Amino acid sequence: MKLEEGLNATARQLASICELFQQTVERNPDAVCITQGEDLYTYRQIDGKSNQLAHYLIQKGVARDSIIGIYQDRSPDMVVSMLAVLKAGAAYVPLTSAYPAERIAHIIKETKLSILLTSSKLEETVAECKHEASLQCISLDSEWHQVQQESSTRPSVRPAASDLAYVIYTSGSTGKPKGVMIEHRGLPNLVQEQIAAFQLNEQDRVLQYAAFTFDASVSEILTTLVAGAALVLLPQEGTFVGEELYQYMIEQEISVVTLTPSVLATLSQNDLPALKTIVSAGEACTKKLVHYWSSKVNLVNAYGPSEATVCATMHTCSQATDTVPLGSPMNGVAVYLLDAQLNPVAQGKTGELYLSSVGLARGYLNEPSLTDKHFIPNPFKDGFSGRLYRTGDICRLNANGSLEWMGREDNQIKVAGVRIELGEVEHSLRDHPQLQEAVVLYHYEKNAIHAYVQPSAATKPNISQIRSYLESLLPSYMIPARFMYVDSFAITANGKIDRNLLPPIDDMRPELESSYTAPRNELEQALSNIWSEILHLDKVGIYDNFFELGGQSLMATQIVSRIRSYLGMEIPLYVIFGAKPTIEQTASAIEQYQLEQIDSSELEKMLLELEQLERN
């Protein structure tokens, strides 16, 4: 079954993404382009700064297909760096301090970075890489006085459609992350299609929510800047789910936002007067979310892998639907449902989803065999691409022509919208010196990763030690929530581990570094009960770390809600999830916060009463 939309995008005369941005600047140079907190920048300012940095990079020898690292916190400088690299004709690779040092070092080495755009604070964290890779760090906060000596006019470089635009790393089944190489040709198509679907205009305020290392940030940033709207950056500190996100969207009058269904489900169902469009992406959207939000806003369900320049299909949702379809292909995209022999499947039958797109990736950096495996010759003459990308997604076309997602044909999953290859987690566990074998599965009902580990010696590491080891290799979102020790794994007839015979992981407190210590007072007992309920554990000790128990940041709103109900007062998220989220520390923080909220006259009265009691 084939679905194709619109014109042959290769025949359309689309300006480059840099030219589209330039047109926006010329159209309304003094409009607000980027805002973060009290900082506000116009299109003229962002254009001028990005031009200066582009000239500075060109002076450093940057050329077509050069890869430049951007290692910055969420900030206007992050966006300026992105634009500057594209204007210089080069490609960028995003990095984040949330990555372990080993992962950052791997990306720097594999991309052969010679220049890293960063800040003084973050430059210190890559000192070793800098030395080993002959890496030149440009800290914009300390070197801007040199950058601003350059011309603020547009560079003469004109990126070609086939030039590399960015390399974004996703989880890899071979044990290492893989770099997806995206060319310029798909970006104009992406932004123009999404501007129309999201109903974007110059009056909009768009929240930049996705981490810069996720491809959703490409859509958020570039669609906003080409549409001439205001890009609102989240503050660098904060969890921003649930009530905290809701309040920020109210305060900033956000009109367009892209969220995963996991995050969208935490949003308060109170009114958001300025909000007109929600884009659900990164995970399968639920009917419950569609039924609530589609009557209030323009709700768009978007689908697309990184390998197809962020997005391939979109669907505007309505309450009338019985399913939540992936939608129709964008202009410049054709989708195919094929069987194992690459024959189209009949309507109503399931098949693997293949994509042909003008935005199809060049392939995986330094991985020719992996590229050949996932990008195959296109047997269909659709005019979009000479290759097909096999997504691994199993779909079907129902009676009304809607494309439905049914599951995966491999071990790739998405947790909170983040693509994770379970094989990468397994490889990391198998490399642990005290583990012989490991199997990692995803528990759909609990929305959590579970790991089965077989120790290689009589003395086995505790869960805290295993988690600490994984944290040195993997981002936090890839760390399993639950672990179970097994003496051996059942093997199938062909010599592989039989995943169907793995025992269920009990809802028992794991073996942590600290032994179990029971709650000592009413507040600690209440917190222990709340954590046990949320984490599905039989008990929680007062020295147990919330995240070591398998907790995730998305659970924060549930924790906060239950604590507020118990105490009968508002407790900010930051109070509950401090530097060390244990029962003891949380109880202490709550008590301190409650004390700070007491009126001084009331406190004085209480002290007098205590003094009188002591005298009596």
PDB file of all heavy atoms in Angstrom, residues 165-192:
ATOM      1  N   ALA A 165      23.658  19.600   6.526  1.00  0.00           N
ATOM      2  CA  ALA A 165      23.134  20.659   7.404  1.00  0.00           C
ATOM      3  C   ALA A 165      23.404  20.346   8.875  1.00  0.00           C
ATOM      4  O   ALA A 165      23.791  21.223   9.633  1.00  0.00           O
ATOM      5  CB  ALA A 165      21.634  20.840   7.183  1.00  0.00           C
ATOM      6  N   TYR A 166      23.160  19.123   9.273  1.00  0.00           N
ATOM      7  CA  TYR A 166      23.454  18.749  10.667  1.00  0.00           C
ATOM      8  C   TYR A 166      23.601  17.245  10.783  1.00  0.00           C
ATOM      9  O   TYR A 166      23.163  16.476   9.926  1.00  0.00           O
ATOM     10  CB  TYR A 166      22.375  19.253  11.633  1.00  0.00           C
ATOM     11  CG  TYR A 166      20.972  18.719  11.430  1.00  0.00           C
ATOM     12  CD1 TYR A 166      20.561  17.511  11.998  1.00  0.00           C
ATOM     13  CD2 TYR A 166      20.033  19.440  10.689  1.00  0.00           C
ATOM     14  CE1 TYR A 166      19.270  17.044  11.830  1.00  0.00           C
ATOM     15  CE2 TYR A 166      18.736  18.961  10.513  1.00  0.00           C
ATOM     16  CZ  TYR A 166      18.360  17.766  11.088  1.00  0.00           C
ATOM     17  OH  TYR A 166      17.076  17.294  10.919  1.00  0.00           O
ATOM     18  N   VAL A 167      24.264  16.837  11.868  1.00  0.00           N
ATOM     19  CA  VAL A 167      24.400  15.424  12.228  1.00  0.00           C
ATOM     20  C   VAL A 167      23.819  15.283  13.622  1.00  0.00           C
ATOM     21  O   VAL A 167      24.288  15.936  14.559  1.00  0.00           O
ATOM     22  CB  VAL A 167      25.870  14.964  12.220  1.00  0.00           C
ATOM     23  CG1 VAL A 167      25.969  13.498  12.651  1.00  0.00           C
ATOM     24  CG2 VAL A 167      26.498  15.168  10.850  1.00  0.00           C
ATOM     25  N   ILE A 168      22.787  14.476  13.756  1.00  0.00           N
ATOM     26  CA  ILE A 168      22.150  14.325  15.060  1.00  0.00           C
ATOM     27  C   ILE A 168      22.282  12.878  15.497  1.00  0.00           C
ATOM     28  O   ILE A 168      22.078  11.952  14.703  1.00  0.00           O
ATOM     29  CB  ILE A 168      20.674  14.785  15.006  1.00  0.00           C
ATOM     30  CG1 ILE A 168      20.186  15.184  16.382  1.00  0.00           C
ATOM     31  CG2 ILE A 168      19.772  13.761  14.367  1.00  0.00           C
ATOM     32  CD1 ILE A 168      19.086  16.215  16.369  1.00  0.00           C
ATOM     33  N   TYR A 169      22.695  12.680  16.740  1.00  0.00           N
ATOM     34  CA  TYR A 169      22.974  11.333  17.226  1.00  0.00           C
ATOM     35  C   TYR A 169      21.756  10.726  17.895  1.00  0.00           C
ATOM     36  O   TYR A 169      21.083  11.366  18.705  1.00  0.00           O
ATOM     37  CB  TYR A 169      24.167  11.341  18.176  1.00  0.00           C
ATOM     38  CG  TYR A 169      25.474  11.226  17.431  1.00  0.00           C
ATOM     39  CD1 TYR A 169      26.034  12.332  16.790  1.00  0.00           C
ATOM     40  CD2 TYR A 169      26.124  10.000  17.297  1.00  0.00           C
ATOM     41  CE1 TYR A 169      27.213  12.227  16.060  1.00  0.00           C
ATOM     42  CE2 TYR A 169      27.299   9.883  16.576  1.00  0.00           C
ATOM     43  CZ  TYR A 169      27.839  10.997  15.957  1.00  0.00           C
ATOM     44  OH  TYR A 169      28.997  10.870  15.235  1.00  0.00           O
ATOM     45  N   THR A 170      21.482   9.476  17.532  1.00  0.00           N
ATOM     46  CA  THR A 170      20.410   8.707  18.156  1.00  0.00           C
ATOM     47  C   THR A 170      21.011   7.428  18.717  1.00  0.00           C
ATOM     48  O   THR A 170      22.138   7.050  18.386  1.00  0.00           O
ATOM     49  CB  THR A 170      19.303   8.355  17.144  1.00  0.00           C
ATOM     50  OG1 THR A 170      19.830   7.442  16.178  1.00  0.00           O
ATOM     51  CG2 THR A 170      18.789   9.592  16.442  1.00  0.00           C
ATOM     52  N   SER A 171      20.252   6.762  19.554  1.00  0.00           N
ATOM     53  CA  SER A 171      20.705   5.515  20.152  1.00  0.00           C
ATOM     54  C   SER A 171      20.987   4.484  19.070  1.00  0.00           C
ATOM     55  O   SER A 171      20.285   4.421  18.051  1.00  0.00           O
ATOM     56  CB  SER A 171      19.631   4.999  21.112  1.00  0.00           C
ATOM     57  OG  SER A 171      20.028   3.799  21.722  1.00  0.00           O
ATOM     58  N   GLY A 172      22.033   3.661  19.265  1.00  0.00           N
ATOM     59  CA  GLY A 172      22.409   2.668  18.266  1.00  0.00           C
ATOM     60  C   GLY A 172      22.359   1.255  18.807  1.00  0.00           C
ATOM     61  O   GLY A 172      22.822   1.001  19.927  1.00  0.00           O
ATOM     62  N   SER A 173      21.832   0.333  18.046  1.00  0.00           N
ATOM     63  CA  SER A 173      21.680  -1.056  18.504  1.00  0.00           C
ATOM     64  C   SER A 173      23.013  -1.783  18.632  1.00  0.00           C
ATOM     65  O   SER A 173      23.099  -2.832  19.260  1.00  0.00           O
ATOM     66  CB  SER A 173      20.773  -1.826  17.545  1.00  0.00           C
ATOM     67  OG  SER A 173      21.301  -1.819  16.236  1.00  0.00           O
ATOM     68  N   THR A 174      24.080  -1.234  18.038  1.00  0.00           N
ATOM     69  CA  THR A 174      25.384  -1.877  18.102  1.00  0.00           C
ATOM     70  C   THR A 174      26.151  -1.543  19.376  1.00  0.00           C
ATOM     71  O   THR A 174      27.261  -2.024  19.571  1.00  0.00           O
ATOM     72  CB  THR A 174      26.242  -1.453  16.896  1.00  0.00           C
ATOM     73  OG1 THR A 174      26.400  -0.025  16.918  1.00  0.00           O
ATOM     74  CG2 THR A 174      25.595  -1.864  15.593  1.00  0.00           C
ATOM     75  N   GLY A 175      25.570  -0.729  20.226  1.00  0.00           N
ATOM     76  CA  GLY A 175      26.232  -0.384  21.483  1.00  0.00           C
ATOM     77  C   GLY A 175      26.786   1.030  21.508  1.00  0.00           C
ATOM     78  O   GLY A 175      27.196   1.527  22.548  1.00  0.00           O
ATOM     79  N   LYS A 176      26.803   1.698  20.359  1.00  0.00           N
ATOM     80  CA  LYS A 176      27.268   3.077  20.282  1.00  0.00           C
ATOM     81  C   LYS A 176      26.208   3.930  19.582  1.00  0.00           C
ATOM     82  O   LYS A 176      25.503   3.441  18.702  1.00  0.00           O
ATOM     83  CB  LYS A 176      28.587   3.169  19.493  1.00  0.00           C
ATOM     84  CG  LYS A 176      29.779   2.521  20.184  1.00  0.00           C
ATOM     85  CD  LYS A 176      30.191   3.289  21.430  1.00  0.00           C
ATOM     86  CE  LYS A 176      31.443   2.690  22.061  1.00  0.00           C
ATOM     87  NZ  LYS A 176      31.810   3.398  23.328  1.00  0.00           N
ATOM     88  N   PRO A 177      26.092   5.204  19.947  1.00  0.00           N
ATOM     89  CA  PRO A 177      25.122   6.064  19.243  1.00  0.00           C
ATOM     90  C   PRO A 177      25.536   6.238  17.788  1.00  0.00           C
ATOM     91  O   PRO A 177      26.717   6.152  17.448  1.00  0.00           O
ATOM     92  CB  PRO A 177      25.207   7.380  20.012  1.00  0.00           C
ATOM     93  CG  PRO A 177      26.564   7.377  20.636  1.00  0.00           C
ATOM     94  CD  PRO A 177      26.855   5.948  20.969  1.00  0.00           C
ATOM     95  N   LYS A 178      24.543   6.445  16.921  1.00  0.00           N
ATOM     96  CA  LYS A 178      24.842   6.611  15.498  1.00  0.00           C
ATOM     97  C   LYS A 178      24.457   8.018  15.047  1.00  0.00           C
ATOM     98  O   LYS A 178      23.440   8.570  15.473  1.00  0.00           O
ATOM     99  CB  LYS A 178      24.113   5.560  14.663  1.00  0.00           C
ATOM    100  CG  LYS A 178      22.605   5.499  14.824  1.00  0.00           C
ATOM    101  CD  LYS A 178      22.018   4.375  13.979  1.00  0.00           C
ATOM    102  CE  LYS A 178      20.495   4.317  14.075  1.00  0.00           C
ATOM    103  NZ  LYS A 178      20.026   3.775  15.345  1.00  0.00           N
ATOM    104  N   GLY A 179      25.272   8.595  14.164  1.00  0.00           N
ATOM    105  CA  GLY A 179      25.056   9.957  13.694  1.00  0.00           C
ATOM    106  C   GLY A 179      24.267   9.977  12.400  1.00  0.00           C
ATOM    107  O   GLY A 179      24.723   9.471  11.370  1.00  0.00           O
ATOM    108  N   VAL A 180      23.074  10.557  12.443  1.00  0.00           N
ATOM    109  CA  VAL A 180      22.219  10.678  11.257  1.00  0.00           C
ATOM    110  C   VAL A 180      22.612  11.944  10.510  1.00  0.00           C
ATOM    111  O   VAL A 180      22.564  13.041  11.065  1.00  0.00           O
ATOM    112  CB  VAL A 180      20.731  10.738  11.653  1.00  0.00           C
ATOM    113  CG1 VAL A 180      19.850  10.821  10.410  1.00  0.00           C
ATOM    114  CG2 VAL A 180      20.350   9.536  12.507  1.00  0.00           C
ATOM    115  N   MET A 181      23.001  11.804   9.231  1.00  0.00           N
ATOM    116  CA  MET A 181      23.468  12.941   8.437  1.00  0.00           C
ATOM    117  C   MET A 181      22.321  13.519   7.605  1.00  0.00           C
ATOM    118  O   MET A 181      21.809  12.858   6.692  1.00  0.00           O
ATOM    119  CB  MET A 181      24.613  12.508   7.516  1.00  0.00           C
ATOM    120  CG  MET A 181      25.842  12.013   8.248  1.00  0.00           C
ATOM    121  SD  MET A 181      27.218  11.644   7.110  1.00  0.00           S
ATOM    122  CE  MET A 181      26.608  10.154   6.317  1.00  0.00           C
ATOM    123  N   ILE A 182      21.929  14.739   7.901  1.00  0.00           N
ATOM    124  CA  ILE A 182      20.807  15.390   7.220  1.00  0.00           C
ATOM    125  C   ILE A 182      21.325  16.518   6.329  1.00  0.00           C
ATOM    126  O   ILE A 182      22.095  17.378   6.764  1.00  0.00           O
ATOM    127  CB  ILE A 182      19.801  15.958   8.238  1.00  0.00           C
ATOM    128  CG1 ILE A 182      19.174  14.826   9.054  1.00  0.00           C
ATOM    129  CG2 ILE A 182      18.727  16.781   7.533  1.00  0.00           C
ATOM    130  CD1 ILE A 182      18.317  13.863   8.246  1.00  0.00           C
ATOM    131  N   GLU A 183      20.868  16.500   5.090  1.00  0.00           N
ATOM    132  CA  GLU A 183      21.270  17.528   4.133  1.00  0.00           C
ATOM    133  C   GLU A 183      20.271  18.688   4.127  1.00  0.00           C
ATOM    134  O   GLU A 183      19.171  18.584   4.681  1.00  0.00           O
ATOM    135  CB  GLU A 183      21.366  16.910   2.737  1.00  0.00           C
ATOM    136  CG  GLU A 183      22.434  15.828   2.639  1.00  0.00           C
ATOM    137  CD  GLU A 183      22.465  15.133   1.295  1.00  0.00           C
ATOM    138  OE1 GLU A 183      21.451  15.180   0.570  1.00  0.00           O
ATOM    139  OE2 GLU A 183      23.499  14.533   0.953  1.00  0.00           O
ATOM    140  N   HIS A 184      20.652  19.767   3.471  1.00  0.00           N
ATOM    141  CA  HIS A 184      19.826  20.979   3.425  1.00  0.00           C
ATOM    142  C   HIS A 184      18.509  20.774   2.688  1.00  0.00           C
ATOM    143  O   HIS A 184      17.518  21.447   2.984  1.00  0.00           O
ATOM    144  CB  HIS A 184      20.595  22.123   2.745  1.00  0.00           C
ATOM    145  CG  HIS A 184      21.428  22.933   3.673  1.00  0.00           C
ATOM    146  ND1 HIS A 184      20.988  24.103   4.254  1.00  0.00           N
ATOM    147  CD2 HIS A 184      22.685  22.738   4.145  1.00  0.00           C
ATOM    148  CE1 HIS A 184      21.928  24.596   5.032  1.00  0.00           C
ATOM    149  NE2 HIS A 184      22.965  23.790   4.986  1.00  0.00           N
ATOM    150  N   ARG A 185      18.455  19.863   1.738  1.00  0.00           N
ATOM    151  CA  ARG A 185      17.330  19.780   0.817  1.00  0.00           C
ATOM    152  C   ARG A 185      15.985  19.575   1.513  1.00  0.00           C
ATOM    153  O   ARG A 185      14.960  20.030   1.024  1.00  0.00           O
ATOM    154  CB  ARG A 185      17.576  18.683  -0.213  1.00  0.00           C
ATOM    155  CG  ARG A 185      17.520  17.275   0.307  1.00  0.00           C
ATOM    156  CD  ARG A 185      17.663  16.247  -0.824  1.00  0.00           C
ATOM    157  NE  ARG A 185      19.044  16.086  -1.264  1.00  0.00           N
ATOM    158  CZ  ARG A 185      19.485  16.492  -2.442  1.00  0.00           C
ATOM    159  NH1 ARG A 185      18.679  17.096  -3.289  1.00  0.00           N
ATOM    160  NH2 ARG A 185      20.756  16.292  -2.782  1.00  0.00           N
ATOM    161  N   GLY A 186      15.962  18.929   2.666  1.00  0.00           N
ATOM    162  CA  GLY A 186      14.691  18.653   3.316  1.00  0.00           C
ATOM    163  C   GLY A 186      14.183  19.757   4.223  1.00  0.00           C
ATOM    164  O   GLY A 186      13.001  19.768   4.591  1.00  0.00           O
ATOM    165  N   LEU A 187      15.036  20.697   4.602  1.00  0.00           N
ATOM    166  CA  LEU A 187      14.652  21.706   5.586  1.00  0.00           C
ATOM    167  C   LEU A 187      13.595  22.689   5.084  1.00  0.00           C
ATOM    168  O   LEU A 187      12.624  22.964   5.806  1.00  0.00           O
ATOM    169  CB  LEU A 187      15.891  22.449   6.081  1.00  0.00           C
ATOM    170  CG  LEU A 187      16.861  21.603   6.918  1.00  0.00           C
ATOM    171  CD1 LEU A 187      18.129  22.386   7.244  1.00  0.00           C
ATOM    172  CD2 LEU A 187      16.197  21.121   8.197  1.00  0.00           C
ATOM    173  N   PRO A 188      13.736  23.263   3.874  1.00  0.00           N
ATOM    174  CA  PRO A 188      12.685  24.176   3.407  1.00  0.00           C
ATOM    175  C   PRO A 188      11.324  23.492   3.306  1.00  0.00           C
ATOM    176  O   PRO A 188      10.292  24.070   3.655  1.00  0.00           O
ATOM    177  CB  PRO A 188      13.194  24.628   2.031  1.00  0.00           C
ATOM    178  CG  PRO A 188      14.666  24.405   2.070  1.00  0.00           C
ATOM    179  CD  PRO A 188      14.851  23.188   2.917  1.00  0.00           C
ATOM    180  N   ASN A 189      11.339  22.247   2.833  1.00  0.00           N
ATOM    181  CA  ASN A 189      10.094  21.495   2.721  1.00  0.00           C
ATOM    182  C   ASN A 189       9.458  21.299   4.095  1.00  0.00           C
ATOM    183  O   ASN A 189       8.243  21.485   4.284  1.00  0.00           O
ATOM    184  CB  ASN A 189      10.371  20.140   2.068  1.00  0.00           C
ATOM    185  CG  ASN A 189       9.105  19.410   1.660  1.00  0.00           C
ATOM    186  OD1 ASN A 189       8.342  19.891   0.835  1.00  0.00           O
ATOM    187  ND2 ASN A 189       8.867  18.254   2.248  1.00  0.00           N
ATOM    188  N   LEU A 190      10.276  20.923   5.082  1.00  0.00           N
ATOM    189  CA  LEU A 190       9.789  20.712   6.448  1.00  0.00           C
ATOM    190  C   LEU A 190       9.115  21.952   7.005  1.00  0.00           C
ATOM    191  O   LEU A 190       7.969  21.903   7.474  1.00  0.00           O
ATOM    192  CB  LEU A 190      10.952  20.296   7.359  1.00  0.00           C
ATOM    193  CG  LEU A 190      10.642  20.277   8.863  1.00  0.00           C
ATOM    194  CD1 LEU A 190       9.814  19.050   9.218  1.00  0.00           C
ATOM    195  CD2 LEU A 190      11.923  20.329   9.688  1.00  0.00           C
ATOM    196  N   VAL A 191       9.820  23.086   6.970  1.00  0.00           N
ATOM    197  CA  VAL A 191       9.289  24.275   7.639  1.00  0.00           C
ATOM    198  C   VAL A 191       8.040  24.807   6.947  1.00  0.00           C
ATOM    199  O   VAL A 191       7.092  25.240   7.619  1.00  0.00           O
ATOM    200  CB  VAL A 191      10.365  25.381   7.772  1.00  0.00           C
ATOM    201  CG1 VAL A 191      11.545  24.897   8.587  1.00  0.00           C
ATOM    202  CG2 VAL A 191      10.840  25.885   6.424  1.00  0.00           C
ATOM    203  N   GLN A 192       8.004  24.777   5.622  1.00  0.00           N
ATOM    204  CA  GLN A 192       6.828  25.313   4.939  1.00  0.00           C
ATOM    205  C   GLN A 192       5.602  24.438   5.155  1.00  0.00           C
ATOM    206  O   GLN A 192       4.484  24.943   5.310  1.00  0.00           O
ATOM    207  CB  GLN A 192       7.138  25.490   3.448  1.00  0.00           C
ATOM    208  CG  GLN A 192       8.187  26.576   3.216  1.00  0.00           C
ATOM    209  CD  GLN A 192       8.381  26.927   1.754  1.00  0.00           C
ATOM    210  OE1 GLN A 192       7.925  26.217   0.864  1.00  0.00           O
ATOM    211  NE2 GLN A 192       9.056  28.025   1.498  1.00  0.00           N
TER     212      GLN A 192
END
